[in-house]
Every structure is written in C-alpha cells, then in structure tokens.
Amino acid sequence: MPDVGARVWVVPGGRIPFPAHGAEPEFGGFDQLCILNATDQEAQVSLDVYYEDAEPVGPYRIPVGARRIRHVRLNDLIDPEAIRLDRPYGCLLRSAVPVVVQFLRQDTRLPGALGLTTTLAYPA
C-alpha cells in the first residue's frame, strides 16, 4: 500500500448549533469527523479543541482500528469535557500512524432539506 495520510491534521473552523427550544430539543445539524486508517496498525488519534475565548480542551482519545474507518460526531465527545455548543472552534488531530481526516457538517434545519458540506482537514 502506498503511503497515505498524515500524522497531524487541522480543522480550522466548526460550530455545533445550540438546539431549538423545548424539553428534548433536536439538533439542527452536527459536525463530524471521518478518520481513515489505511495502515496495518491501530491509530490512537488525539484531538484538541481550540476556542477563540478559552483555553484548548483535550485530548479526546479516538482509537481507529487497522485498515478501518471511524465516524465521530463532535457533539458526542464528552471526555475531558463536552464540546461547547454554539461557539466557534477549531481542532488539531494527532496520530502516531498516518491517517486521512475528512470534516463534515450536516444541516437538517430546513423542513424536507438535508444540507451536507464536506472538506478534507488540512494536513499540517
């Protein structure tokens, strides 16, 4: 297998919208990372989240099996703390083995509509 991926990736911006009104609100969208590990070793990906008005939070630990892919919704990350809602953020991912990272944003706020934006994270 040819060399694929990088060991450090940057997602320069994201934002998880605050849920609508109600006791059990539904999110109008979410941000997600898709991490591909094409190597023969498990990848132990660490993720640090950066905010414009607070210190970085992390690392969040995300294991990705050898020759596997993993999808992670950022609003599901809670340890060491939940990702802050309705706040701009950026994140830095590190892995001891090369991985490929794709960033996705899904917006379901419009009735009958499904908006999906995707881009590769930036290899640092």
Side-chain angles (χ1 to χ4, degrees), residues 2 22 29 32 39 76 88 102 121:
Q32 177 174 298
T39 72
D76 288 342
Q102 186 175 24

Side-chain angles (χ1 to χ4, degrees), residues 57-70:
V57 177
Y60 297 86
R61 304 284 184 198
I62 306 168
V64 183
R67 299 177 310 283
R68 298 288 186 266
I69 194 167
R70 179 143 181 214

